[in-house]
Amino acid sequence: MADYSLANPDTLTKYRVAATISEKVLAAVSKLCVAGEKVVTICQKGDKLIEDEVAKVYRTTKLKGFSHPTTVSPASYVTPYTPLASDAAEANVELQEGEPVKIQLGAQIDGFASIVCDTIIVPAKDKELDVITGRTADLLLATYYANELLLRLMVPPGLLAAGSDEEKAKAAAAKAPTQSKITSLLEKVAKSYEVNLVESTTSWLFDRNEIEGKKKIVIAPAEGTKGDGTPEVGEVWGVEMGMSLGSGKVKTLDQRATLHRRTTNTYILKSQTARKTLSTIQSKFGYFPFSVRQLEEEGGDTKYKVGVFDGVRQNVLRQYELVGDKDGSPVARLLTTLAITKNGISRLGSPPTLDPSKFQSDKKITDEEILQLLEQPLSKNKGKSKNKKKKKPAKKAAKAGEDESEESDDE
């Protein structure tokens, strides 16, 4: 029986290779997002980049490819958006200057997935983005610091404790924060910047070939939804943060769902066309999300629609509805894939660190409990720790509000 746990160094290596690809493509796609560009074109270019990068690594591994197609979600969209080239109206959706767009994508190697999401502000064509001010700055700063806080709340109690054995034992005996406690701490960050958490923002436990595992953390849960489980050493998670300039309440958008994923249900679809489509999905995307556009481009025939329709109806495919902010207000999202090891949290694909010198806001975090939590390290400092230099100033920057010049080296 193959060992797919993090105890096997190969597993972590595969996650890291997937992460390198995800982060590289995220950076490239971010550069493509300028005012007037078509969303569908950016998604197509991003997908091509993922395919090209994946082809260069683990050449003998059959199971590799997308863990998430390239999606580019306009201002008020909450969930990943990947339009169809064949739908004239959708294919013409263009990015608007100054809007916050969410870019989400990912690669997987041997079923080990790294998915990343970043929110960027769309610049005008051929223009560098100026310092971001006003409500847009509030939104992005709140999302960034809330995300940094959530990552720290994912560290199991006592894992990074220093001091005597007694102190360590005491720290380890502490209970992990409950999910409602997590929400209330994150709400304090939101209030500092006068924004709101996006309801039911969900972080999932990842497993091999699975991005919605047995545990989940649900922030600001909508009625009837709740999280389940606490993070532990040896796990990989996809950690998500979402903030809105509106109420944070969401609605299903009146648009076709184009993002799907194979479920673990086995049901023999009746029509041969549907079975053929399913077999294409299985071989190219496995159990990871894909865009109907990718099927469209795969064969160029329209028969795949029957397969997708049948698959969803028989629950062999899961359809991701398109969800947006209820008031049509701008939303920011971040998604980080991370491993929890005995040394703390190791990022396996994350959005780039925010540079506070590029944001100007008259708001700041003043709550002592939050500022102290932001001071906490994410991992034990083992000499050349990547997190060391990067993470310490989160608190100072949050506290400094607009006076950030000395923080600009926070890389």
Side-chain angles (χ1 to χ4, degrees):
M1 185 68 186
D3 177 9
Y4 293 124
S5 77
L6 290 183
N8 179 354
D10 281 357
T11 299
L12 208 50
T13 304
K14 286 168 183 170
Y15 271 120
R16 290 216 162 102
V17 171
T20 304
I21 294 173
S22 298
E23 290 183 355
K24 183 176 178 179
V25 177
L26 176 65
V29 171
S30 299
K31 288 197 174 75
L32 297 173
C33 291
V34 294
E37 284 296 318
K38 290 188 166 57
V39 170
V40 70
T41 313
I42 298 169
C43 291
Q44 285 167 325
K45 286 179 178 171
D47 287 351
K48 174 87 172 69
L49 286 170
I50 293 173
E51 287 187 328
D52 292 350
E53 290 298 324
V54 167
K56 295 175 192 169
V57 298
Y58 284 90
R59 289 179 188 271
T60 56
T61 304
K62 272 214 169 68
L63 177 62
K64 60 176 184 175
F66 293 90
S67 60
H68 199 282
T70 307
T71 58
V72 177
S73 306
S76 65
Y77 288 49
V78 172
T79 52
Y81 176 58
T82 158
L84 305 183
S86 63
D87 181 316
E90 289 201 6
N92 283 317
V93 175
E94 292 181 355
L95 295 181
Q96 308 298 315
E97 182 184 349
E99 72 171 328
V101 300
K102 283 71 65 183
I103 304 164
Q104 185 163 319
L105 54 86
Q108 57 91 5
I109 304 290
D110 197 19
F112 300 110
S114 165
I115 303 178
V116 291
C117 174
D118 191 20
T119 298
I120 65 157
I121 303 304
V122 177
K125 208 171 162 64
D126 306 322
K127 243 183 84 181
E128 274 291 295
L129 203 60
D130 286 331
V131 169
I132 294 161
T133 59
R135 296 300 281 146
T136 307
D138 295 343
L139 177 66
L140 266 65
L141 287 166
T143 310
Y144 174 70
Y145 289 119
N147 187 56
E148 288 297 321
L149 179 61
L150 179 56
L151 296 180
R152 282 155 179 76
L153 297 172
M154 301 283 297
V155 179
L159 186 65
L160 304 179
S164 67
D165 287 351
E166 197 182 337
E167 285 169 304
K168 283 181 184 168
K170 189 182 165 204
K175 278 202 162 41
T178 62
Q179 300 216 3
S180 57
K181 172 70 173 170
I182 291 173
T183 292
S184 73
L185 288 168
L186 294 167
E187 267 169 354
K188 289 181 175 179
V189 177
K191 286 207 167 50
S192 302
Y193 290 97
E194 292 172 25
V195 299
N196 283 298
L197 292 166
V198 173
E199 72 175 336
S200 299
T201 294
T202 306
S203 299
W204 289 95
L205 178 67
F206 282 7
D207 218 324
R208 185 168 183 255
N209 291 320
E210 179 56 88
I211 55 163
E212 293 181 1
K214 291 184 172 60
K215 295 181 184 179
K216 60 180 176 180
I217 293 171
V218 183
I219 296 161
E223 202 136 320
T225 53
K226 66 179 187 22
D228 191 21
T230 46
E232 292 174 67
V233 171
E235 293 176 344
V236 171
W237 284 74
V239 178
E240 186 167 330
M241 178 45 60
M243 291 281 186
S244 166
L245 285 181
S247 65
K249 298 278 179 261
V250 300
K251 63 178 179 192
T252 303
L253 301 175
D254 188 19
Q255 264 175 292
R256 171 179 16 200
T258 57
L259 196 66
H260 295 75
R261 183 167 76 94
R262 176 91 170 81
T263 67
T264 48
N265 294 335
T266 48
Y267 175 90
I268 310 295
L269 296 175
K270 300 266 188 296
S271 85
Q272 200 181 341
T273 316
R275 287 201 298 273
K276 193 178 148 202
T277 301
L278 199 65
S279 128
T280 303
I281 291 167
Q282 191 66 51
S283 65
K284 192 160 168 130
F285 307 110
Y287 293 97
F288 293 102
F290 62 91
S291 164
V292 173
R293 191 196 68 253
Q294 292 172 296
L295 288 180
E296 211 171 63
E297 288 158 8
E298 190 68 13
D301 69 27
T302 50
K303 290 187 179 150
Y304 71 86
K305 286 183 180 159
V306 181
V308 172
F309 181 76
D310 271 7
V312 170
R313 202 177 52 186
Q314 299 301 344
N315 201 14
V316 180
L317 292 178
R318 149 131 195 237
Q319 176 169 303
Y320 289 90
E321 297 301 336
L322 206 52
V323 171
D325 184 90
K326 203 170 185 171
D327 326 312
S329 299
V331 168
R333 274 180 55 247
L334 297 172
L335 199 159
T336 307
T337 303
L338 58 82
I340 305 172
T341 70
K342 61 183 192 308
N343 294 315
I345 281 180
S346 173
R347 298 181 197 230
L348 300 173
S350 63
T353 303
L354 178 125
D355 175 357
S357 69
K358 296 201 164 78
F359 294 84
Q360 224 170 2
S361 167
D362 54 1
K363 303 175 182 69
K364 58 187 179 189
I365 298 169
T366 52
D367 185 287
E368 265 313 306
E369 184 185 12
I370 303 293
L371 291 169
Q372 272 172 356
L373 283 163
L374 286 172
E375 272 284 64
Q376 304 291 324
L378 283 173
S379 59
K380 287 179 186 159
N381 180 5
K382 298 209 310 288
K384 303 200 304 265
S385 158
K386 277 225 302 272
N387 288 328
K388 180 181 89 186
K389 189 162 144 233
K390 203 154 101 184
K391 293 315 352 137
K392 206 57 178 159
K395 167 177 172 178
K396 275 199 294 193
K399 209 169 177 178
E402 64 277 20
D403 177 21
E404 247 125 24
S405 50
E406 85 278 16
E407 293 306 337
S408 58
D409 60 319
D410 177 15
E411 233 340 273

